[in-house]
Amino acid sequence: MEKQKDTFPTIPLYETVKQRLLADYGSLSYYTPFPSEREICERYEVSRPTVRTALSLLEAEGWLKRLPRKGAFFLGNRPHVDHQLASAAGFYNDVRLQGRTTTSKVLFQNVEQAGAETAKMLGIEEGEQVFRLERLRYLDGEVYSLANSYLPLVYLPLLIREDFTSCSLYDTLSAQGVIPYEGRQQVTFRPASAYEAMHLEMKAGEPLSVLASRMYTAKEQLIEYAVVKSPAYKTSYEMVVYREGAGAQQGKG
């Protein structure tokens, strides 16, 4: 009697194409245009029906969004959800709460004279000395934002010798009894300068999100004026909005 040979299921060609597409294009930034059906056919030497099936699978799994007459867009590598508009926890702690990691490269950590905008935000005279901390922040090992923090000179002894490559500015202040409590923030968008583009690994003129904020203690003591810049496509801001008077009503027994 002839011995029956073992048989193994054959992987469909469209599944192979799908896996190759993820391997070759999985590092694309969020909402980057995906190659056209024609380009994929030519690259992998397969038929258009096979490509269409592979793309349909990718869309069903949440990797792509296809729009009529506009093509497909990659939905992997979603932007970091920044909760700083709704929380005073700070970037470092917000990232950790989301199960991600962050480190910083310190570009400047010293005293300088306040420019007009910094002086206005800190409520001091232009030319007065302030402590400035400039950091290039990394999220899960990739460049994420360029952050400048300006603080009144009274905080200099607490910060001048601190290693901020892997620690939080707000945690450092809190440990000394200066606890961030309330932030007043504004988000704008503008083209990136050559300096910003160089550090953020983008092209000059590409869209940049700019988060400007002032942080206060519970006693209305101004702690910091900060300006954080990041490529617009890398960040999604989340905020919480309450109906006026709702908080007071909820607090009643």
Side-chain angles (χ1 to χ4, degrees):
M1 184 175 185
E2 183 179 355
K3 184 178 180 181
Q4 185 175 1
K5 295 182 179 180
D6 292 332
T7 59
F8 299 92
T10 302
I11 299 176
L13 183 56
Y14 58 77
E15 179 67 26
T16 300
V17 172
K18 186 196 82 169
Q19 295 299 330
R20 290 188 64 183
L21 285 169
L22 285 176
D24 293 342
Y25 299 101
S27 61
L28 289 176
S29 299
Y30 179 72
Y31 228 78
T32 296
F34 210 68
S36 67
E37 291 182 1
R38 180 179 178 181
E39 291 173 319
I40 297 172
C41 288
E42 292 176 352
R43 174 164 184 170
Y44 300 122
E45 298 181 343
V46 293
S47 67
R48 182 156 290 191
T50 297
V51 170
R52 286 175 177 168
T53 303
L55 292 176
S56 294
L57 288 174
L58 289 173
E59 185 172 30
E61 293 173 8
W63 290 105
L64 292 179
K65 175 65 175 179
R66 290 191 288 181
L67 301 175
R69 298 183 298 278
K70 292 185 178 180
F73 296 85
F74 188 61
L75 298 183
N77 301 316
R78 289 182 179 273
H80 168 64
V81 178
D82 196 322
H83 297 97
Q84 293 186 83
L85 293 180
S87 169
F91 177 79
Y92 180 84
N93 291 309
D94 183 31
V95 168
R96 292 181 65 191
L97 287 171
Q98 295 186 53
R100 307 180 73 173
T101 59
T102 180
T103 56
S104 297
K105 178 181 180 180
V106 177
L107 303 178
F108 187 89
Q109 184 176 355
N110 214 325
V111 174
E112 69 175 20
Q113 292 184 331
E117 182 65 17
T118 301
K120 177 183 177 182
M121 292 295 102
L122 290 177
I124 61 177
E125 294 294 326
E126 183 177 355
E128 281 191 39
Q129 289 189 322
V130 295
F131 173 75
R132 178 167 73 92
L133 175 64
E134 182 177 30
R135 292 167 290 173
L136 187 61
R137 287 169 164 171
Y138 294 82
L139 182 61
D140 294 335
E142 295 185 2
V143 172
Y144 177 75
S145 66
L146 182 63
N148 271 283
S149 296
Y150 304 87
L151 295 92
L153 211 56
V154 66
Y155 299 119
L156 179 65
L158 307 180
L159 307 173
I160 191 63
R161 299 188 184 281
E162 192 70 35
D163 181 7
F164 287 103
T165 56
S166 58
C167 73
S168 162
L169 172 61
Y170 286 0
D171 285 355
T172 301
L173 290 168
S174 296
Q176 301 296 325
V178 183
I179 302 174
Y181 176 77
E182 178 184 336
R184 300 169 190 176
Q185 302 161 325
Q186 181 181 38
V187 179
T188 57
F189 298 88
R190 62 167 174 78
S193 69
Y195 176 82
E196 294 158 348
M198 174 185 69
H199 283 298
L200 294 172
E201 299 179 0
M202 56 191 298
K203 295 179 180 179
E206 288 186 338
L208 194 72
S209 70
V210 182
L211 173 64
S213 66
R214 285 181 290 178
M215 184 60 67
Y216 297 81
T217 67
K219 294 182 178 181
E220 292 287 317
Q221 178 184 357
L222 180 59
I223 302 173
E224 172 208 33
Y225 167 56
V227 181
V228 181
K229 306 160 189 173
S230 58
Y233 65 85
K234 281 191 175 182
T235 304
S236 172
Y237 290 104
E238 183 175 281
M239 58 194 96
V240 179
V241 178
Y242 296 97
R243 181 170 58 86
E244 186 176 357
Q249 295 174 1
Q250 292 174 357
K252 295 180 180 180

